[in-house]
Amino acid sequence: MTGKNLGNETGTRSSGKAAYNMRAADVIARLLESWGYLTAFGVPGESYLSLLDALHDIHGFRFIACRQEGGAAMAAEAHARATGKPGLVMVTRGPGLTNASAGIHVAQQGSTPLVVLIGMPARETERREAFQELDVQALGQVIGKDALIVRDPHRIGEQLSHAVHLAISGRPGPVLVGLPEDLLTEETGDPPQALLSPPIRPFSIPTPNLLARAAEIIASAKRPFVVAGGAGWTPEASRSLERFASRFGIPVGAAWRRQDVLDNTNPYYAGHIGLGINPKLAERVRSADVIFVIGARLGEATTSGYTIFTPPTIGPMLIHLHPDANELGAVFRPNVSLAGDPAETLDALADADPGDVAARDAWQSKARADYEEFTFPIHDVGDLQLAQAVAHISDTVPPETTITNGAGNYAIWLHRFFRYRRFGQQLGPQSGSMGYGIPAAIGAAFSNPEAMVVAFAGDGCALMTIQELATIAEHRLPIVVIVVDNGRFGTIRMHQERDYPGRTIGTEVNSPNFANVARGFGLAATTVRTTKEFITAFDTTIESGTPHLLHLLPDRRAISPGKTLLPEGRDQ
């Protein structure tokens, strides 16, 4: 969507008719333009039509109309992670916001900065249970980082700036901003000049004494181990981690769905920590004498249900670095707490004396050898080998290709057999939200239109946000959607057989012909039943650079790498 620049020094705006004073909606548009926030995802609604009207005149602004607000919020969350800027979502009141809540929750648990602009009923109807009215503030404080409602049009710039600062500071997260529809049309002056510069995330670094104490503990350790992930990561932080790990000779494990914090081909990368962890890696982490956690929170997924580490303390020494001091000691008590950003803190630590690095060579090299052994493709039942398919993708696509996924057992093959080679290459929901992979691919594609995106989804996962294939088709986005279809909610079925063997209920489902569904949306599609068919179809699709859906039909007994469900249902 393109048009003329908005506003002028006298606070007037032109729509091709007579000039008139800027509305609150125009102030929002001008600030978004000034801050460089030129891509928003949403579903249009009557409650914020004036804001859409104001954005019409912003040169280069793109409003990506998604087909459901949950998909829009997930796309915005992925766009934020891919660009390093806060994601921008626009939804209407009531059902628009509740639909978006799934994506907002993804941003909250993933520590992703997200600004959600919500059209609301007019102020005069507030608290009357007006049409589609919802308590935005109460809901936002439960599912997000914070929420605010703008009631004074002359404070719109101040409060929008405050919302962005909240979203990007400390542990980043989603902030909801309620905008009553009558407020948006009220006339107001230009935003203060001081607000036109983009909000900047505050950076901090621990005190020299704390840095020295942490460096001394790590340098004296015989079996140190790094767990990296969570909040505060940037390409610069990833490079700082590489420098620190190589200087101190420390193996690095990636926290849940943060496998791209370090190039997986780096000799110091030891694998992912969390669900589907290599048993040898789990034992290695338990046997470490110093655990250095960088950015991660050591949540339930990363700790495999708090079995790798059990709160409130960790047996070995724990050094915990996090950009938000409130996260330090929230679950596990550290021996050394470092409140600071990963890049600056790791650079400072890398300048310290690393101790006897040679004494840690065997510890580090064995960790890497275990990773190489664990990630070698295995053979499962059936003619379509998912391990080999994922390994082929890993060997074929360039680092610029983004890989997205939702939730389901299919993702275990992806996490184990794909090697991420650049920060930002992996986009997966730390919240475990089904349906994330397809809309996340949309967000990634708009962040870098020249690069391909590969989106993974299970059959159940895909059906949560299948309507966003229409968004892919409309914009001809370079996305390959891979649907792994086993006709069941695989993760839940596996756990059902574990806990209640032979008592199947609710986990077997009928899937549509996904290739036909994709064609109905205007996408090319191919059904794949063998490994050879997959390699041929994938290579052809990647070469074309056009949107395509691959409908994979593996053996239904293959429930996770190396495990099967027997005909009568029992897990083996």
Side-chain angles (χ1 to χ4, degrees):
M1 183 180 299
T2 60
K4 296 173 288 185
N5 285 332
L6 177 71
N8 56 39
E9 293 304 314
T10 61
T12 61
R13 173 184 179 274
S14 175
S15 65
K17 301 178 181 179
Y20 56 92
N21 289 333
M22 293 183 72
R23 305 163 297 177
D26 301 316
V27 173
I28 296 173
R30 182 167 183 180
L31 288 173
L32 294 177
E33 177 188 31
S34 179
W35 297 342
Y37 301 165
L38 297 177
T39 302
F41 300 84
V43 176
E46 292 181 72
S47 57
Y48 69 99
L49 280 176
S50 56
L51 177 55
L52 292 175
D53 175 67
L55 292 168
H56 181 276
D57 291 339
I58 298 298
H59 179 72
F61 189 88
R62 301 178 300 186
F63 180 86
I64 311 305
C66 297
R67 277 35 177 193
Q68 203 258 13
E69 292 88 351
M74 292 177 188
E77 192 272 351
H79 191 264
R81 288 173 58 183
T83 63
K85 295 181 179 181
L88 187 59
V89 190
M90 297 182 185
V91 298
T92 195
R93 55 202 175 193
L97 175 56
T98 53
N99 283 344
S101 63
I104 295 170
H105 185 249
V106 170
Q108 176 64 23
Q109 293 221 325
S111 302
T112 304
L114 198 67
V115 177
V116 187
L117 302 182
I118 307 148
M120 290 179 56
R123 286 165 291 179
E124 66 179 12
T125 66
E126 190 173 357
R127 298 289 180 182
R128 293 179 179 173
E129 197 174 337
F131 180 63
Q132 297 184 335
E133 184 178 7
L134 185 70
D135 192 332
V136 169
Q137 206 148 16
L139 180 65
Q141 290 171 346
V142 171
I143 66 170
K145 185 176 181 180
D146 207 345
L148 55 93
I149 298 174
V150 183
R151 294 185 171 88
D152 183 349
H154 299 286
R155 296 185 63 192
I156 188 73
E158 168 199 339
Q159 293 191 278
L160 186 61
S161 175
H162 176 56
V164 174
H165 276 282
L166 281 174
I168 63 178
S169 300
R171 179 188 172 191
V175 175
L176 280 60
V177 182
L179 302 170
E181 61 180 323
D182 62 320
L183 172 135
L184 290 171
T185 59
E186 286 195 12
E187 293 183 355
T188 183
D190 278 351
Q193 288 294 316
L195 293 182
L196 295 180
S197 58
I200 298 174
R201 173 178 166 81
F203 290 92
S204 62
I205 188 169
T207 65
N209 287 342
L210 283 173
L211 288 171
R213 175 60 177 153
E216 179 185 2
I217 292 173
I218 297 169
S220 62
K222 296 180 179 179
R223 301 181 307 280
F225 195 91
V226 168
V227 178
W233 288 95
T234 62
E236 294 74 23
S238 180
R239 289 190 288 269
S240 298
L241 174 60
E242 181 177 4
R243 176 172 173 247
F244 168 79
S246 62
R247 177 161 169 77
F248 277 75
I250 303 179
V252 176
W256 172 239
R257 287 185 171 154
R258 287 293 191 266
Q259 291 168 248
D260 58 353
V261 292
L262 184 65
D263 183 344
N264 294 180
T265 65
N266 188 291
Y268 295 95
Y269 182 75
H272 69 280
I273 312 293
L275 304 179
I277 188 174
N278 180 356
K280 291 184 179 180
L281 179 57
E283 185 55 39
R284 181 169 300 279
V285 174
R286 292 189 187 99
S287 65
D289 57 3
V290 172
I291 298 293
F292 183 18
V293 177
I294 307 171
R297 298 176 53 251
L298 293 184
E300 184 178 9
T302 296
T303 61
S304 295
Y306 301 106
T307 60
I308 296 177
F309 305 122
T310 304
T313 60
I314 290 178
M317 296 283 285
L318 172 62
I319 302 171
H320 197 174
L321 165 63
H322 199 281
D324 191 334
N326 292 323
E327 293 295 337
L328 300 172
V331 179
F332 293 90
R333 172 176 286 188
N335 299 92
V336 180
S337 297
L338 303 175
D341 288 273
E344 288 77 5
T345 305
L346 288 170
D347 281 339
L349 288 173
D351 291 333
D353 180 2
D356 189 354
V357 177
R360 297 191 281 269
D361 280 350
W363 167 256
Q364 180 272 322
S365 60
K366 187 60 170 66
R368 180 64 189 184
D370 289 344
Y371 168 76
E372 296 283 356
E373 179 186 19
F374 186 65
T375 56
F376 187 83
I378 64 172
H379 191 277
D380 291 301
V381 296
D383 296 326
L384 177 52
Q385 295 296 307
L386 293 178
Q388 293 179 29
V390 171
H392 177 76
I393 297 173
S394 184
D395 293 340
T396 301
V397 301
E400 293 74 27
T401 302
T402 301
I403 309 297
T404 72
N405 65 271
N409 265 29
Y410 69 90
I412 301 176
W413 278 276
L414 179 62
H415 296 339
R416 179 169 171 178
F417 300 110
F418 190 92
R419 298 194 178 192
Y420 298 91
R421 286 165 287 161
R422 88 174 153 83
F423 176 77
Q425 190 175 16
Q426 180 186 33
L427 295 177
Q430 287 192 297
S431 66
S433 179
M434 294 176 70
Y436 178 83
I438 294 174
I442 294 170
F446 276 106
S447 73
N448 184 7
E450 303 303 316
M452 291 293 294
V453 182
V454 178
F456 278 83
D459 49 319
C461 185
L463 288 172
M464 297 281 181
T465 50
I466 194 73
Q467 66 273 11
E468 299 307 337
L469 292 181
T471 310
I472 295 174
E474 177 184 349
H475 298 279
R476 304 307 296 169
L477 299 176
I479 296 172
V480 181
V481 178
I482 298 176
V483 178
V484 183
D485 178 8
N486 64 0
R488 55 169 54 113
F489 293 118
T491 303
I492 311 306
R493 176 63 191 279
M494 182 176 70
H495 295 163
Q496 189 175 60
E497 291 298 337
R498 179 193 65 194
D499 297 339
Y500 306 100
R503 297 177 63 81
T504 303
I505 181 171
T507 52
E508 295 292 300
V509 295
N510 290 328
S511 297
N513 184 319
F514 283 97
N516 284 343
V517 171
R519 295 183 190 110
F521 281 108
L523 298 179
T526 305
T527 299
V528 174
R529 293 181 172 83
T530 68
T531 308
K532 183 178 179 181
E533 289 178 355
F534 173 81
I535 292 173
T536 300
F538 182 80
D539 289 352
T540 301
T541 300
I542 287 291
E543 183 67 25
S544 73
T546 58
H548 201 106
L549 184 141
L550 299 179
H551 181 198
L552 275 57
L553 294 170
D555 192 305
R556 297 183 74 244
R557 294 172 296 170
I559 195 65
S560 68
K563 288 190 175 183
T564 60
L565 283 178
L566 297 178
E568 60 270 26
R570 287 178 292 134
D571 187 13
Q572 178 174 289

